[in-house]
């Protein structure tokens, strides 16, 4: 992704956008070359984000914690004073939140194409769902 030569950027991924990428750890490592800060925001409970990032060995500079995405983006922008704040999301709702908080918005597919990231084919999530069901049924 071309950042115009400046690394003075904060990059936030909505959890669903990060799940849409084949190798989230590689994406974060790549993004660190041209951003100052990179992390994950989500409406999901903190443990969901933490479990995903641990599983994929993603080292984030920030996460949303118990807050919603909009409040998280506002707080992150106040904490990380960079020239640009870019939010990578998946839908119109994410785009609206970015607009409401003054962040630039990128669809995950557009970000992946620009940065050379590989999108997931959808199979891992399909495989994870039965495992979660199996755990729920397990005594």
């Amino acid at each position: 992704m071309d950042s115009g030569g400046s690394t003075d950027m904060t990059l936030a991924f909505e959890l669903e956008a990060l799940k849409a990428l084949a190798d989230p750890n590689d994406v974060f490592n790549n993004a660190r070359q041209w951003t100052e800060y990179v992390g994950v925001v989500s409406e999901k409970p903190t443990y969901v984000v933490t479990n995903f990032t641990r599983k994929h060995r993603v080292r984030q500079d920030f996460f949303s914690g118990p807050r919603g995405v909009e409040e998280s983006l506002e707080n992150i922008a106040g904490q990380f004073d960079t020239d640009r704040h870019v939010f990578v999301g998946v839908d119109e709702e994410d785009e609206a939140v970015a607009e409401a908080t003054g962040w630039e918005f990128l669809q995950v597919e557009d970000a992946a194409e620009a940065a050379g990231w590989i999108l997931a084919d959808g199979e891992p999530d399909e495989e994870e769902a039965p495992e979660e069901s199996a755990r729920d049924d397990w005594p």
Side-chain angles (χ1 to χ4, degrees):
M1 178 176 277
D2 180 16
S3 64
S6 171
T7 60
D8 197 21
M9 180 193 321
T10 301
L11 184 65
F13 287 88
E14 207 292 326
L15 180 61
E16 294 306 313
L18 199 56
K19 288 180 175 181
L21 297 163
D23 188 346
N25 181 42
D26 185 56
V27 167
F28 265 57
N29 290 337
N30 173 263
R32 288 188 188 288
Q33 297 174 30
W34 42 267
T35 63
E36 191 71 29
Y37 307 103
V38 61
V40 181
V41 295
S42 178
E43 295 287 342
K44 302 269 189 207
T46 303
Y47 76 89
V48 173
V49 176
T50 302
N51 287 346
F52 181 84
T53 56
R54 282 185 184 155
K55 179 180 177 181
H56 294 279
R57 299 177 182 217
V58 171
R59 184 179 57 86
Q60 53 188 338
D61 296 317
F62 58 83
F63 64 97
S64 53
R67 300 178 193 93
V69 172
E70 187 168 345
E71 185 181 351
S72 294
L73 292 177
E74 289 170 349
N75 288 338
I76 292 162
Q79 245 183 325
F80 299 97
D81 186 25
T82 54
D83 289 342
R84 295 176 66 198
H85 293 89
V86 179
F87 179 46
V88 179
V90 296
D91 56 26
E92 290 176 3
E93 186 177 318
D94 291 342
E95 187 171 7
V97 169
E99 188 174 314
T101 56
W103 283 63
E104 296 174 45
F105 177 77
L106 272 177
Q107 283 281 351
V108 67
E109 294 86 358
D110 296 337
E113 184 178 334
W117 301 329
I118 298 168
L119 292 169
D121 59 11
E123 289 178 20
D125 284 341
E126 292 169 12
E127 291 173 10
E128 286 176 9
E131 280 180 29
E132 289 173 7
S133 297
R135 284 189 208 125
D136 289 343
D137 296 337
W138 195 52

